[in-house]
Amino acid sequence: MTAVTQAPPGKAASPGRLGRWGRALSRELTTVVITMFGLLLVTFFIARVIPIDPVLAVVGDNAKPETYEAARIELGLDKPLWQQFAIYIGKVFTGNLGTSVLTSNPVVEDIKRVFPATLELATLGTMIGVLIGVPLGILAAVNQGRWQDQVARVVGLVGYSVPVFWIGLMALLLFYAKLGWVSGPGRISVVWQDIVTTRTGIIMIDAALEGEWEAFWDAFSHLILPALVLGLLSVAYISRMTRSFMITELQQQYVIAARVKGVSETAVIWRHALRNAAVPLFTVIALSYMHLLEGSVLTETIFAWPGLGRYLTNALLNADMNAVLGGTLVVGVVFIAVNLLTDIIGRLADPRVR
Amino acid sequence: MTSEQPLLEVDNLKVDFHTATGIVRAVRGLSFTLGRERLGIVGESGSGKSMTGRAILDLIPHPGVVSADRMRFRGQDLTAMDKGARRKLRGRHISMVMQDPKFSLNPVETVGSQIAEAYRIHRKADPREARERSLAMLEQVQIREPARVYDLYPHEVSGGMGQRVMIAMMLIAEPEVLIADEPTSALDVTVQLQILKILDDLVTERGMGLIFISHDLHLVQSFCDRVIVMYGGKVMETLPAAELADPAARSRRHPYTLGLLECLPDLDHPRAKLATLNRDPAWLA
């Protein structure tokens, strides 16, 4: 046994970069497993404590006591709690989230349909937020107190404070009804409905995979307006945060040192300062993205977008608990995944936490 | 003739900060010339030492305003140059070693790439050549394993090593003038002397002009040829460094210089109470 405890000296001497990465990864994965377990625990117990009797929901109010009891056993509610929990975990991992009362589809099927709609909206919205928000924030930081800063401030203020339902309706009125630049509500025109086979669920990608470019552009012209409306909120948030991170970085000594070396101002800003500001910025962008991935009820309602936000709200209003819990589980898993990704990117971007 | 031309000529340099509460005069009419020598600038905090260095480099932050009757680098008029031309001088002809390597090196880039960047800005060089030059420069600042250190990040090097990296970075483009702004005050006493030795060797070897900014009179006295004593943004006096410690020269000294010297504790002649500095408002008139 003593031989086992003695590690070969060469290996134990210094853990290389790979070793450090391996340890970091295993730590991350442990966190993921624990968080997942917590998520399952929470959704399971929510289902127990809500004042909706799952048996009654199946058998109806007027069922005889024998029928009620039979259904209760059928649902496994007579078993001890831990056993029920184990069964629940087993079901989740086999992709069984129950059936939605509202749509009478398996919840998994429903989510497979609505989540990609939210995913493409949130992704494009975040891309707009990053592509406009980051340069706007940098511009404001570099020209602190000047007119560029004021413009950025107004954009941020509008993005934050103007309600989505108002700006959404106005955008539809102007760009769809009056100018006709974009298509109206929904994800795709009726003509193209069901023409493209569903692979990823994201219509634009599916259309591109099949080479149906007309369908691709039709889907795009449906997507762009709600994405811009969501993007405006992202722009507001991301530009304000970029501004404050950049102001902090531009005051650092290493920025002066770079200027002393003769680095051009453009490179000082984009290569030196932004590279450092990017570290906290990744977290901010990820948070904003996660927020959009929950599904934005108002935007989805105004643009008749069949996404997760609308699905969950409908389910909640109709006490469709399987759908609500299934949806919550999906949102939770997405949060964990984005968090994991952000941690990894953060490690790559900042040598101090590697 | 050109060999006798001073590297820097500064005449009546002023740095003003226009703030909401009025104008703050950081430097009020500083004049000096710098040859291939080691010039010390001493003074208390806020006496305008650092601002003088920054003004020469055109790195006074907003809302500071620099003016001078004359500011020349090897005969070239700095006041007439645009921002771009001043930038091309920085690093290449006039450079600066800053105080604390912990904050003066970009934390997310390897120290090697930061040195190489300084080289590539001013010389047309491919990455491989820049790397080789950087490694050679690291060796010149007496870093033993240049190839290993090259790939380290700033947080992975010690203060002393960080300052060597800083010196390498600021001298790789072979500038003629180096401003050293408190280059050792963030370092351990034991490391300070090594760093000064490296700095001194390089400056002498390359025949550079050095402006050594410090609040440490002992250091300036042993390290510099000539010393400017500053107070409140003005020059109190300029004197040969050797005379700082010379008791015979005391009568010729400015009262402020004497005051600074009085404040220093002396191991050989311990005193119960150190003198306090008396500042005469008339000096700033």
Side-chain angles (χ1 to χ4, degrees), chain A residues 17 20 146 252-265 267 271-273 275-276 279 349-352 354, chain B residues 54 57 59 62 87 90-91 94-96 98 103-109 114 117-118 121-122 151 153 155-156 166 169-170:
Chain A
R17 291 212 183 234
R20 251 194 288 177
R146 289 198 268 266
Q252 301 299 313
Q253 292 288 312
Y254 72 80
V255 166
I256 298 174
R259 290 190 182 124
V260 170
K261 284 198 284 186
V263 177
S264 73
E265 202 52 31
R271 208 165 62 227
H272 286 268
R275 183 73 179 68
N276 280 275
V279 176
D350 190 350
R352 284 162 295 185
R354 259 175 223 167
Chain B
R54 299 278 171 89
L57 288 163
L59 286 178
H62 180 80
R87 175 172 76 75
R90 286 203 292 270
I94 309 174
S95 197
M96 178 164 77
M98 294 159 66
F103 304 111
S104 307
L105 292 168
N106 188 338
V108 299
E109 272 183 54
Q114 295 185 55
E117 184 189 26
I121 289 167
H122 301 290
D151 290 319
Y153 286 93
H155 72 280
E156 295 171 317
M166 187 83 183
M169 181 167 91
M170 292 311 182

Short mmCIF file of all heavy atoms in Angstrom, two decimals, chain A residues 17 20 146 252-265 267 271-273 275-276 279 349-352 354, chain B residues 54 57 59 62 87 90-91 94-96 98 103-109 114 117-118 121-122 151 153 155-156 166 169-170:
data_model
loop_
_atom_site.label_atom_id
_atom_site.label_comp_id
_atom_site.label_asym_id
_atom_site.label_seq_id
_atom_site.Cartn_x
_atom_site.Cartn_y
_atom_site.Cartn_z
N ARG A 17 0.53 23.46 -17.42
CA ARG A 17 -0.69 24.21 -17.74
C ARG A 17 -1.89 23.28 -17.91
O ARG A 17 -2.99 23.60 -17.52
CB ARG A 17 -0.49 25.03 -19.01
CG ARG A 17 0.49 26.14 -18.75
CD ARG A 17 0.23 27.39 -19.54
NE ARG A 17 1.32 28.30 -19.19
CZ ARG A 17 1.15 29.52 -18.75
NH1 ARG A 17 -0.04 30.01 -18.67
NH2 ARG A 17 2.16 30.27 -18.43
N ARG A 20 -3.32 22.34 -14.60
CA ARG A 20 -4.10 23.42 -14.00
C ARG A 20 -5.47 23.53 -14.66
O ARG A 20 -6.48 23.70 -14.01
CB ARG A 20 -3.35 24.74 -14.14
CG ARG A 20 -2.81 25.23 -12.82
CD ARG A 20 -2.39 26.65 -12.93
NE ARG A 20 -1.16 26.76 -13.72
CZ ARG A 20 -0.61 27.95 -14.01
NH1 ARG A 20 -1.18 29.05 -13.62
NH2 ARG A 20 0.50 27.99 -14.70
N ARG A 146 -18.13 64.98 -23.28
CA ARG A 146 -18.38 65.70 -24.53
C ARG A 146 -19.67 65.22 -25.18
O ARG A 146 -20.37 64.36 -24.64
CB ARG A 146 -17.18 65.51 -25.47
CG ARG A 146 -15.94 66.28 -25.01
CD ARG A 146 -14.96 66.44 -26.15
NE ARG A 146 -14.00 65.34 -26.17
CZ ARG A 146 -12.81 65.41 -25.58
NH1 ARG A 146 -12.45 66.48 -24.91
NH2 ARG A 146 -11.97 64.39 -25.65
N GLN A 252 -5.69 53.61 -15.80
CA GLN A 252 -4.65 52.76 -15.22
C GLN A 252 -3.26 53.18 -15.70
O GLN A 252 -3.10 53.76 -16.77
CB GLN A 252 -4.89 51.29 -15.59
CG GLN A 252 -6.23 50.75 -15.13
CD GLN A 252 -6.40 50.80 -13.62
OE1 GLN A 252 -5.51 50.40 -12.88
NE2 GLN A 252 -7.52 51.31 -13.17
N GLN A 253 -2.27 52.84 -14.88
CA GLN A 253 -0.88 53.18 -15.21
C GLN A 253 -0.41 52.51 -16.49
O GLN A 253 0.36 53.08 -17.24
CB GLN A 253 0.03 52.76 -14.05
CG GLN A 253 -0.18 53.55 -12.78
CD GLN A 253 0.36 54.97 -12.90
OE1 GLN A 253 1.47 55.17 -13.35
NE2 GLN A 253 -0.44 55.94 -12.53
N TYR A 254 -0.86 51.29 -16.73
CA TYR A 254 -0.35 50.59 -17.91
C TYR A 254 -0.77 51.28 -19.21
O TYR A 254 -0.10 51.14 -20.23
CB TYR A 254 -0.78 49.11 -17.91
CG TYR A 254 -2.24 48.87 -18.21
CD1 TYR A 254 -2.71 48.88 -19.51
CD2 TYR A 254 -3.16 48.63 -17.19
CE1 TYR A 254 -4.04 48.67 -19.79
CE2 TYR A 254 -4.48 48.43 -17.45
CZ TYR A 254 -4.92 48.45 -18.75
OH TYR A 254 -6.24 48.25 -19.02
N VAL A 255 -1.87 52.05 -19.14
CA VAL A 255 -2.30 52.81 -20.32
C VAL A 255 -1.30 53.94 -20.58
O VAL A 255 -0.89 54.18 -21.72
CB VAL A 255 -3.73 53.35 -20.12
CG1 VAL A 255 -4.06 54.41 -21.15
CG2 VAL A 255 -4.73 52.22 -20.19
N ILE A 256 -0.86 54.60 -19.49
CA ILE A 256 0.15 55.65 -19.65
C ILE A 256 1.44 55.03 -20.18
O ILE A 256 2.07 55.57 -21.09
CB ILE A 256 0.40 56.35 -18.30
CG1 ILE A 256 -0.90 57.02 -17.82
CG2 ILE A 256 1.51 57.39 -18.42
CD1 ILE A 256 -0.82 57.61 -16.44
N ALA A 257 1.80 53.87 -19.61
CA ALA A 257 3.03 53.20 -20.06
C ALA A 257 2.96 52.89 -21.56
O ALA A 257 3.94 53.07 -22.28
CB ALA A 257 3.25 51.92 -19.26
N ALA A 258 1.78 52.45 -22.02
CA ALA A 258 1.63 52.16 -23.45
C ALA A 258 1.82 53.43 -24.27
O ALA A 258 2.47 53.42 -25.32
CB ALA A 258 0.26 51.55 -23.72
N ARG A 259 1.28 54.54 -23.78
CA ARG A 259 1.45 55.81 -24.50
C ARG A 259 2.91 56.23 -24.50
O ARG A 259 3.41 56.75 -25.50
CB ARG A 259 0.59 56.90 -23.86
CG ARG A 259 -0.88 56.69 -24.09
CD ARG A 259 -1.68 57.92 -23.64
NE ARG A 259 -3.10 57.68 -23.83
CZ ARG A 259 -4.01 57.79 -22.87
NH1 ARG A 259 -3.65 58.17 -21.66
NH2 ARG A 259 -5.28 57.55 -23.13
N VAL A 260 3.61 56.00 -23.38
CA VAL A 260 5.02 56.35 -23.31
C VAL A 260 5.80 55.58 -24.38
O VAL A 260 6.71 56.12 -25.01
CB VAL A 260 5.59 56.05 -21.91
CG1 VAL A 260 7.11 56.17 -21.92
CG2 VAL A 260 5.00 56.98 -20.87
N LYS A 261 5.41 54.32 -24.61
CA LYS A 261 6.10 53.51 -25.62
C LYS A 261 5.88 54.06 -27.02
O LYS A 261 6.59 53.71 -27.95
CB LYS A 261 5.53 52.08 -25.61
CG LYS A 261 6.00 51.23 -24.48
CD LYS A 261 5.77 49.77 -24.76
CE LYS A 261 4.33 49.36 -24.59
NZ LYS A 261 4.13 47.89 -24.73
N GLY A 262 4.83 54.88 -27.16
CA GLY A 262 4.52 55.41 -28.49
C GLY A 262 3.37 54.69 -29.17
O GLY A 262 3.16 54.86 -30.37
N VAL A 263 2.63 53.89 -28.42
CA VAL A 263 1.47 53.20 -28.98
C VAL A 263 0.43 54.25 -29.40
O VAL A 263 0.20 55.23 -28.68
CB VAL A 263 0.85 52.26 -27.93
CG1 VAL A 263 -0.40 51.58 -28.47
CG2 VAL A 263 1.86 51.22 -27.50
N SER A 264 -0.16 54.06 -30.57
CA SER A 264 -1.15 55.03 -31.05
C SER A 264 -2.39 54.98 -30.18
O SER A 264 -2.69 53.96 -29.55
CB SER A 264 -1.52 54.73 -32.50
OG SER A 264 -2.32 53.57 -32.55
N GLU A 265 -3.12 56.08 -30.15
CA GLU A 265 -4.28 56.18 -29.28
C GLU A 265 -5.31 55.10 -29.61
O GLU A 265 -5.93 54.52 -28.72
CB GLU A 265 -4.87 57.58 -29.39
CG GLU A 265 -5.73 58.02 -28.22
CD GLU A 265 -5.06 57.86 -26.85
OE1 GLU A 265 -3.82 57.98 -26.76
OE2 GLU A 265 -5.79 57.61 -25.87
N ALA A 267 -4.76 52.12 -30.77
CA ALA A 267 -4.31 50.84 -30.22
C ALA A 267 -4.37 50.84 -28.70
O ALA A 267 -4.63 49.81 -28.09
CB ALA A 267 -2.88 50.55 -30.70
N ARG A 271 -6.68 47.90 -28.13
CA ARG A 271 -5.87 46.73 -27.82
C ARG A 271 -5.56 46.64 -26.33
O ARG A 271 -5.71 45.59 -25.73
CB ARG A 271 -4.59 46.74 -28.65
CG ARG A 271 -4.10 45.32 -28.89
CD ARG A 271 -3.08 45.21 -29.97
NE ARG A 271 -1.89 45.95 -29.67
CZ ARG A 271 -1.28 46.77 -30.53
NH1 ARG A 271 -1.77 46.92 -31.73
NH2 ARG A 271 -0.19 47.40 -30.20
N HIS A 272 -5.15 47.74 -25.75
CA HIS A 272 -4.75 47.65 -24.35
C HIS A 272 -5.93 47.76 -23.39
O HIS A 272 -6.18 46.87 -22.60
CB HIS A 272 -3.70 48.71 -24.03
CG HIS A 272 -2.36 48.40 -24.60
ND1 HIS A 272 -1.41 47.70 -23.91
CD2 HIS A 272 -1.84 48.63 -25.82
CE1 HIS A 272 -0.33 47.54 -24.68
NE2 HIS A 272 -0.58 48.10 -25.84
N ALA A 273 -6.68 48.87 -23.47
CA ALA A 273 -7.74 49.10 -22.48
C ALA A 273 -8.91 48.13 -22.69
O ALA A 273 -9.38 47.51 -21.73
CB ALA A 273 -8.21 50.54 -22.56
N ARG A 275 -9.03 45.24 -24.10
CA ARG A 275 -8.63 43.86 -23.78
C ARG A 275 -8.80 43.59 -22.28
O ARG A 275 -9.16 42.50 -21.87
CB ARG A 275 -7.19 43.70 -24.23
CG ARG A 275 -6.57 42.38 -24.09
CD ARG A 275 -7.06 41.35 -25.06
NE ARG A 275 -6.32 40.13 -24.77
CZ ARG A 275 -6.47 39.44 -23.65
NH1 ARG A 275 -7.38 39.80 -22.79
NH2 ARG A 275 -5.74 38.37 -23.42
N ASN A 276 -8.54 44.61 -21.46
CA ASN A 276 -8.71 44.47 -20.02
C ASN A 276 -10.16 44.65 -19.60
O ASN A 276 -10.65 43.96 -18.71
CB ASN A 276 -7.83 45.47 -19.27
CG ASN A 276 -6.40 45.00 -19.16
OD1 ASN A 276 -6.06 44.26 -18.26
ND2 ASN A 276 -5.58 45.38 -20.12
N VAL A 279 -12.73 41.60 -19.78
CA VAL A 279 -12.86 40.55 -18.76
C VAL A 279 -14.18 40.68 -18.00
O VAL A 279 -14.98 39.75 -17.98
CB VAL A 279 -11.64 40.54 -17.83
CG1 VAL A 279 -11.81 39.53 -16.73
CG2 VAL A 279 -10.37 40.25 -18.62
N ALA A 349 -9.58 34.84 -21.01
CA ALA A 349 -9.31 36.26 -21.21
C ALA A 349 -8.40 36.83 -20.14
O ALA A 349 -7.68 37.79 -20.39
CB ALA A 349 -10.62 37.05 -21.24
N ASP A 350 -8.40 36.26 -18.95
CA ASP A 350 -7.64 36.85 -17.85
C ASP A 350 -6.62 35.87 -17.29
O ASP A 350 -6.98 34.91 -16.60
CB ASP A 350 -8.60 37.29 -16.74
CG ASP A 350 -7.90 38.13 -15.69
OD1 ASP A 350 -6.65 38.19 -15.73
OD2 ASP A 350 -8.58 38.71 -14.84
N PRO A 351 -5.34 36.10 -17.59
CA PRO A 351 -4.32 35.16 -17.12
C PRO A 351 -4.24 35.07 -15.60
O PRO A 351 -3.72 34.10 -15.08
CB PRO A 351 -3.03 35.75 -17.70
CG PRO A 351 -3.33 37.17 -17.99
CD PRO A 351 -4.79 37.21 -18.36
N ARG A 352 -4.75 36.08 -14.89
CA ARG A 352 -4.64 36.07 -13.44
C ARG A 352 -5.54 35.03 -12.78
O ARG A 352 -5.29 34.61 -11.67
CB ARG A 352 -4.96 37.44 -12.87
CG ARG A 352 -3.83 38.43 -13.08
CD ARG A 352 -4.31 39.84 -12.91
NE ARG A 352 -5.27 40.18 -13.95
CZ ARG A 352 -5.79 41.38 -14.10
NH1 ARG A 352 -5.47 42.34 -13.26
NH2 ARG A 352 -6.65 41.64 -15.08
N ARG A 354 -6.39 32.10 -14.38
CA ARG A 354 -6.17 30.79 -15.00
C ARG A 354 -5.68 29.78 -13.99
O ARG A 354 -4.90 30.11 -13.10
CB ARG A 354 -5.13 30.92 -16.11
CG ARG A 354 -5.80 30.96 -17.48
CD ARG A 354 -4.77 31.21 -18.56
NE ARG A 354 -5.32 32.19 -19.51
CZ ARG A 354 -4.58 32.80 -20.42
NH1 ARG A 354 -3.30 32.56 -20.50
NH2 ARG A 354 -5.14 33.64 -21.24
N ARG B 54 5.93 64.39 -17.59
CA ARG B 54 4.78 64.15 -18.47
C ARG B 54 4.67 65.23 -19.55
O ARG B 54 4.28 64.94 -20.67
CB ARG B 54 3.48 64.13 -17.65
CG ARG B 54 3.41 63.06 -16.60
CD ARG B 54 3.00 61.74 -17.20
NE ARG B 54 3.15 60.67 -16.22
CZ ARG B 54 2.19 60.31 -15.37
NH1 ARG B 54 1.02 60.88 -15.43
NH2 ARG B 54 2.40 59.33 -14.53
N LEU B 57 6.82 64.63 -22.45
CA LEU B 57 6.33 63.52 -23.28
C LEU B 57 4.99 63.84 -23.94
O LEU B 57 4.45 63.01 -24.65
CB LEU B 57 6.18 62.27 -22.42
CG LEU B 57 7.48 61.60 -21.99
CD1 LEU B 57 7.21 60.66 -20.83
CD2 LEU B 57 8.08 60.84 -23.15
N LEU B 59 2.15 64.07 -22.36
CA LEU B 59 1.20 63.14 -21.75
C LEU B 59 0.50 63.76 -20.55
O LEU B 59 0.19 63.09 -19.57
CB LEU B 59 1.91 61.85 -21.32
CG LEU B 59 2.30 60.91 -22.45
CD1 LEU B 59 3.05 59.70 -21.90
CD2 LEU B 59 1.09 60.45 -23.24
N HIS B 62 -6.09 65.59 -19.67
CA HIS B 62 -7.11 66.61 -19.67
C HIS B 62 -7.51 66.89 -18.22
O HIS B 62 -7.58 65.99 -17.44
CB HIS B 62 -8.31 66.06 -20.45
CG HIS B 62 -9.46 66.99 -20.54
ND1 HIS B 62 -9.49 68.02 -21.44
CD2 HIS B 62 -10.61 67.06 -19.84
CE1 HIS B 62 -10.62 68.69 -21.28
NE2 HIS B 62 -11.32 68.12 -20.32
N ARG B 87 3.99 61.75 -30.66
CA ARG B 87 3.85 60.33 -30.36
C ARG B 87 5.03 59.53 -30.92
O ARG B 87 5.54 58.61 -30.28
CB ARG B 87 2.54 59.78 -30.93
CG ARG B 87 2.40 58.28 -30.75
CD ARG B 87 1.03 57.78 -31.15
NE ARG B 87 0.83 57.71 -32.57
CZ ARG B 87 1.36 56.76 -33.35
NH1 ARG B 87 2.13 55.83 -32.83
NH2 ARG B 87 1.12 56.75 -34.64
N ARG B 90 7.92 59.56 -28.71
CA ARG B 90 7.81 58.80 -27.46
C ARG B 90 8.28 57.37 -27.67
O ARG B 90 7.96 56.73 -28.66
CB ARG B 90 6.35 58.77 -26.99
CG ARG B 90 5.87 60.07 -26.40
CD ARG B 90 4.69 59.83 -25.48
NE ARG B 90 3.50 59.39 -26.17
CZ ARG B 90 2.58 60.22 -26.67
NH1 ARG B 90 2.73 61.51 -26.55
NH2 ARG B 90 1.52 59.75 -27.29
N GLY B 91 9.03 56.87 -26.71
CA GLY B 91 9.53 55.50 -26.81
C GLY B 91 10.77 55.44 -27.69
O GLY B 91 11.77 54.85 -27.32
N ILE B 94 12.44 59.77 -26.68
CA ILE B 94 12.30 60.11 -25.26
C ILE B 94 11.41 59.05 -24.63
O ILE B 94 10.33 58.76 -25.14
CB ILE B 94 11.64 61.49 -25.08
CG1 ILE B 94 12.34 62.55 -25.93
CG2 ILE B 94 11.65 61.89 -23.60
CD1 ILE B 94 11.66 63.90 -25.90
N SER B 95 11.87 58.48 -23.54
CA SER B 95 11.09 57.41 -22.93
C SER B 95 11.02 57.62 -21.42
O SER B 95 11.66 58.52 -20.88
CB SER B 95 11.74 56.07 -23.26
OG SER B 95 10.82 55.05 -23.02
N MET B 96 10.21 56.80 -20.78
CA MET B 96 10.05 57.00 -19.34
C MET B 96 9.88 55.67 -18.61
O MET B 96 9.11 54.81 -19.04
CB MET B 96 8.81 57.89 -19.07
CG MET B 96 8.54 58.11 -17.59
SD MET B 96 7.42 59.49 -17.26
CE MET B 96 5.84 58.77 -17.67
N MET B 98 8.43 54.11 -15.28
CA MET B 98 7.46 54.56 -14.29
C MET B 98 7.66 53.90 -12.94
O MET B 98 8.48 53.01 -12.78
CB MET B 98 6.05 54.34 -14.82
CG MET B 98 5.78 55.23 -16.03
SD MET B 98 4.46 54.64 -17.04
CE MET B 98 3.11 54.83 -15.92
N PHE B 103 1.54 48.04 -11.62
CA PHE B 103 0.42 48.69 -12.30
C PHE B 103 0.80 49.21 -13.68
O PHE B 103 -0.07 49.59 -14.46
CB PHE B 103 -0.10 49.86 -11.45
CG PHE B 103 -0.51 49.44 -10.08
CD1 PHE B 103 0.20 49.83 -8.97
CD2 PHE B 103 -1.62 48.61 -9.91
CE1 PHE B 103 -0.18 49.42 -7.70
CE2 PHE B 103 -2.00 48.19 -8.64
CZ PHE B 103 -1.28 48.60 -7.54
N SER B 104 2.09 49.26 -13.98
CA SER B 104 2.52 49.86 -15.23
C SER B 104 2.66 48.86 -16.37
O SER B 104 2.98 49.24 -17.49
CB SER B 104 3.85 50.58 -15.05
OG SER B 104 3.75 51.48 -13.96
N LEU B 105 2.44 47.58 -16.07
CA LEU B 105 2.48 46.59 -17.14
C LEU B 105 1.06 46.08 -17.36
O LEU B 105 0.31 45.88 -16.41
CB LEU B 105 3.40 45.43 -16.76
CG LEU B 105 4.89 45.80 -16.67
CD1 LEU B 105 5.68 44.67 -16.02
CD2 LEU B 105 5.45 46.09 -18.05
N ASN B 106 0.72 45.91 -18.62
CA ASN B 106 -0.62 45.44 -18.97
C ASN B 106 -0.84 44.02 -18.42
O ASN B 106 -0.13 43.09 -18.82
CB ASN B 106 -0.78 45.46 -20.49
CG ASN B 106 -2.20 45.18 -20.93
OD1 ASN B 106 -2.98 44.58 -20.19
ND2 ASN B 106 -2.54 45.61 -22.12
N PRO B 107 -1.82 43.86 -17.51
CA PRO B 107 -1.94 42.57 -16.81
C PRO B 107 -2.35 41.39 -17.69
O PRO B 107 -2.13 40.26 -17.30
CB PRO B 107 -3.02 42.85 -15.75
CG PRO B 107 -3.73 44.06 -16.21
CD PRO B 107 -2.75 44.86 -16.99
N VAL B 108 -2.93 41.64 -18.86
CA VAL B 108 -3.42 40.50 -19.65
C VAL B 108 -2.49 40.13 -20.81
O VAL B 108 -2.84 39.31 -21.64
CB VAL B 108 -4.85 40.72 -20.17
CG1 VAL B 108 -5.82 40.89 -19.01
CG2 VAL B 108 -4.92 41.91 -21.10
N GLU B 109 -1.30 40.77 -20.85
CA GLU B 109 -0.37 40.39 -21.92
C GLU B 109 0.94 39.92 -21.31
O GLU B 109 1.35 40.41 -20.25
CB GLU B 109 -0.10 41.59 -22.83
CG GLU B 109 -1.11 41.69 -23.96
CD GLU B 109 -0.77 42.83 -24.89
OE1 GLU B 109 0.38 42.86 -25.38
OE2 GLU B 109 -1.64 43.68 -25.10
N GLN B 114 4.90 42.67 -24.55
CA GLN B 114 4.85 44.12 -24.31
C GLN B 114 6.17 44.78 -24.67
O GLN B 114 6.20 45.92 -25.13
CB GLN B 114 4.50 44.40 -22.84
CG GLN B 114 3.10 43.92 -22.50
CD GLN B 114 2.67 44.30 -21.09
OE1 GLN B 114 2.70 45.46 -20.71
NE2 GLN B 114 2.26 43.31 -20.33
N GLU B 117 6.29 44.79 -28.46
CA GLU B 117 5.42 45.82 -29.03
C GLU B 117 6.15 47.15 -29.12
O GLU B 117 6.08 47.85 -30.14
CB GLU B 117 4.16 45.98 -28.16
CG GLU B 117 3.17 46.98 -28.73
CD GLU B 117 2.03 47.30 -27.78
OE1 GLU B 117 2.22 47.19 -26.56
OE2 GLU B 117 0.96 47.69 -28.27
N ALA B 118 6.89 47.49 -28.04
CA ALA B 118 7.62 48.76 -28.03
C ALA B 118 8.63 48.81 -29.17
O ALA B 118 8.89 49.87 -29.74
CB ALA B 118 8.32 48.94 -26.69
N ILE B 121 6.69 49.09 -32.77
CA ILE B 121 6.05 50.37 -33.09
C ILE B 121 7.02 51.26 -33.87
O ILE B 121 6.64 51.94 -34.81
CB ILE B 121 5.63 51.09 -31.79
CG1 ILE B 121 4.45 50.37 -31.16
CG2 ILE B 121 5.25 52.54 -32.06
CD1 ILE B 121 4.17 50.81 -29.74
N HIS B 122 8.31 51.20 -33.48
CA HIS B 122 9.26 52.16 -34.04
C HIS B 122 10.16 51.58 -35.12
O HIS B 122 10.76 52.31 -35.88
CB HIS B 122 10.10 52.74 -32.91
CG HIS B 122 9.27 53.44 -31.87
ND1 HIS B 122 8.63 54.62 -32.13
CD2 HIS B 122 8.96 53.11 -30.60
CE1 HIS B 122 7.97 54.99 -31.05
NE2 HIS B 122 8.14 54.09 -30.11
N ASP B 151 7.56 34.70 -21.60
CA ASP B 151 6.17 34.21 -21.66
C ASP B 151 5.41 34.35 -20.35
O ASP B 151 4.30 33.86 -20.23
CB ASP B 151 6.15 32.74 -22.11
CG ASP B 151 6.55 32.62 -23.56
OD1 ASP B 151 6.11 33.46 -24.36
OD2 ASP B 151 7.32 31.70 -23.89
N TYR B 153 3.32 36.36 -17.35
CA TYR B 153 2.43 37.51 -17.23
C TYR B 153 2.92 38.39 -16.08
O TYR B 153 3.58 37.90 -15.16
CB TYR B 153 1.00 37.05 -16.99
CG TYR B 153 0.37 36.47 -18.23
CD1 TYR B 153 0.41 35.11 -18.49
CD2 TYR B 153 -0.23 37.31 -19.17
CE1 TYR B 153 -0.14 34.58 -19.64
CE2 TYR B 153 -0.78 36.79 -20.32
CZ TYR B 153 -0.74 35.43 -20.56
OH TYR B 153 -1.28 34.92 -21.70
N HIS B 155 1.71 39.46 -13.41
CA HIS B 155 1.46 39.05 -12.02
C HIS B 155 2.35 37.88 -11.61
O HIS B 155 2.39 37.52 -10.45
CB HIS B 155 -0.01 38.68 -11.83
CG HIS B 155 -0.41 37.39 -12.48
ND1 HIS B 155 -0.68 37.29 -13.82
CD2 HIS B 155 -0.57 36.16 -11.98
CE1 HIS B 155 -1.00 36.05 -14.11
NE2 HIS B 155 -0.94 35.33 -13.02
N GLU B 156 3.05 37.31 -12.57
CA GLU B 156 3.90 36.16 -12.25
C GLU B 156 5.36 36.56 -11.98
O GLU B 156 6.18 35.69 -11.70
CB GLU B 156 3.86 35.14 -13.40
CG GLU B 156 2.49 34.51 -13.59
CD GLU B 156 2.39 33.67 -14.85
OE1 GLU B 156 2.88 34.10 -15.91
OE2 GLU B 156 1.79 32.58 -14.77
N MET B 166 10.24 46.61 -17.28
CA MET B 166 9.87 47.98 -17.60
C MET B 166 11.03 48.71 -18.27
O MET B 166 10.85 49.38 -19.30
CB MET B 166 9.50 48.68 -16.29
CG MET B 166 8.95 50.05 -16.46
SD MET B 166 7.21 49.94 -16.83
CE MET B 166 6.86 51.65 -17.07
N MET B 169 11.57 47.41 -21.71
CA MET B 169 10.50 47.87 -22.60
C MET B 169 10.73 49.32 -23.03
O MET B 169 10.50 49.68 -24.17
CB MET B 169 9.16 47.73 -21.87
CG MET B 169 7.95 48.13 -22.64
SD MET B 169 6.46 47.56 -21.80
CE MET B 169 6.09 48.94 -20.76
N MET B 170 11.20 50.13 -22.10
CA MET B 170 11.34 51.55 -22.39
C MET B 170 12.66 51.88 -23.10
O MET B 170 12.82 52.96 -23.63
CB MET B 170 11.22 52.37 -21.10
CG MET B 170 9.81 52.32 -20.51
SD MET B 170 8.53 52.68 -21.73
CE MET B 170 7.06 52.61 -20.72
#
